[in-house]
Amino acid sequence: MAIAGIFKPGNITGVLVVVVSRIIMYHLSHKVQLQLWHYLVWIFAEVLSMALFYVLFENIFLNDPRSLPECFKITVQNTALILLLPYSASWLYFSWKEKKQKIDDLTHEQSTPDTSKNMIPFHDEKGILRFSLKSNDLLYLESADNYVAIYYLNKGKVLHFLLRNTLKTMEEFFKGNPVIVRCHRSYIINFEKAKLLRKEKDGLLLELDAPELIDIPVSKSYVDKVMETFSRFCSNTD
């Protein structure tokens, strides 16, 4: 069978098999993370399915005199040859996607606080590690234009480190952490350092346990979250 024979009008149905297969794969990939080996098995099944359809079409409708095994072997080779280019492009895409996923997973692991050592890594806006700090030394974070000021304790003194990032990114980083919570559009505090909560005429203030007086304002939009967190810490202390 010549390669051009694969494109006989009756065999267009074989192409539809691949189209349907790709539609199924497209929807499946949005529900399940397809690995590279999944895709290779899928391609192999598509080639065999198309080749089988072509063989049946040739023998049933065109009365091909060749034996089924011989016709099937040649058709598999021709089908694979014709689909080599688009399949190669798809293979490169899935390979890139899988490697990207591994890199993203590795980056996420590296950017996750190491609770076993009680260390908090701080990365800049490009994801580069710039500063690492023991969690029990962290006091609070303050927004400073395109930077975040990290205030911490060191040998009984309050120091700070400027990190090029946003407080919004820091909030996402600490999402799910019951200790480090945002209390104001410009502040995130370590509630382990919260000594008392007091009400002033301008609103609520959190006083931190530090060598010098540090008052952190609480925004109205964060009052409920702050009260809930502060109450939980008070009950745990009791």
Side-chain angles (χ1 to χ4, degrees):
M1 180 189 297
I3 295 178
I6 294 181
F7 293 104
K8 293 177 181 179
N11 292 346
I12 294 178
T13 307
V15 178
L16 294 179
V17 172
V18 176
V19 173
V20 173
S21 174
R22 292 297 152 143
I23 293 175
I24 295 174
M25 178 188 289
Y26 173 78
H27 290 288
L28 184 62
S29 64
H30 284 70
K31 297 180 181 179
V32 180
Q33 180 66 40
L34 293 179
Q35 302 297 326
L36 182 58
W37 71 269
H38 292 149
Y39 181 67
L40 294 177
V41 171
W42 198 294
I43 288 177
F44 183 71
E46 284 182 349
V47 171
L48 290 183
S49 299
M50 288 184 65
L52 180 60
F53 178 83
Y54 293 144
V55 168
L56 293 177
F57 183 86
E58 289 285 336
N59 280 267
I60 296 175
F61 296 99
L62 302 180
N63 298 317
D64 195 310
R66 294 171 299 179
S67 64
L68 286 178
E70 179 186 1
C71 188
F72 184 74
K73 178 181 178 181
I74 296 175
T75 306
V76 168
Q77 294 175 350
N78 292 339
T79 303
L81 181 61
I82 291 173
L83 297 177
L84 180 62
L85 182 59
Y87 279 175
S88 296
S90 298
W91 179 83
L92 290 174
Y93 168 74
F94 271 88
S95 179
W96 168 82
K97 187 176 182 180
E98 184 175 353
K99 289 180 181 179
K100 182 177 182 299
Q101 183 63 43
K102 290 181 180 179
I103 293 175
D104 290 343
D105 292 341
L106 181 61
T107 302
H108 176 72
E109 290 175 2
Q110 292 177 342
S111 63
T112 301
D114 188 350
T115 55
S116 61
K117 298 180 181 179
N118 294 319
M119 297 294 292
I120 303 175
F122 289 93
H123 299 76
D124 63 16
E125 59 184 3
K126 296 181 179 179
I128 300 175
L129 179 63
R130 295 296 186 184
F131 188 64
S132 188
L133 179 70
K134 287 185 178 180
S135 60
N136 57 3
D137 288 335
L138 176 65
L139 290 171
Y140 66 97
L141 309 178
E142 181 181 7
S143 176
D145 294 327
N146 295 325
Y147 291 83
V148 172
I150 305 169
Y151 287 84
Y152 61 98
L153 294 174
N154 184 23
K155 296 180 181 181
K157 295 182 179 180
V158 177
L159 303 178
H160 74 276
F161 179 88
L162 279 179
L163 180 73
R164 189 170 181 83
N165 213 321
T166 65
L167 206 65
K168 178 63 176 178
T169 301
M170 292 292 98
E171 183 181 17
E172 288 296 321
F173 176 74
F174 289 112
K175 189 175 182 179
N177 189 316
V179 175
I180 303 173
V181 180
R182 190 165 188 170
C183 63
H184 189 275
R185 65 183 182 87
S186 300
Y187 295 95
I188 292 177
I189 77 159
N190 180 2
F191 264 88
E192 288 186 334
K193 297 298 182 181
K195 183 166 63 175
L196 61 88
L197 177 68
R198 70 175 187 270
K199 184 176 178 57
E200 300 287 346
K201 61 179 182 179
D202 295 330
L204 292 176
L205 291 175
L206 281 163
E207 184 177 324
L208 302 187
D209 186 10
E212 57 191 67
L213 180 62
I214 299 178
D215 288 337
I216 304 296
V218 178
S219 297
K220 292 182 179 179
S221 56
Y222 293 98
V223 168
D224 292 341
K225 180 65 176 180
V226 168
M227 294 296 292
E228 176 188 347
T229 306
F230 192 81
S231 299
R232 185 170 65 250
F233 270 82
C234 289
S235 61
N236 290 339
T237 302
D238 295 339

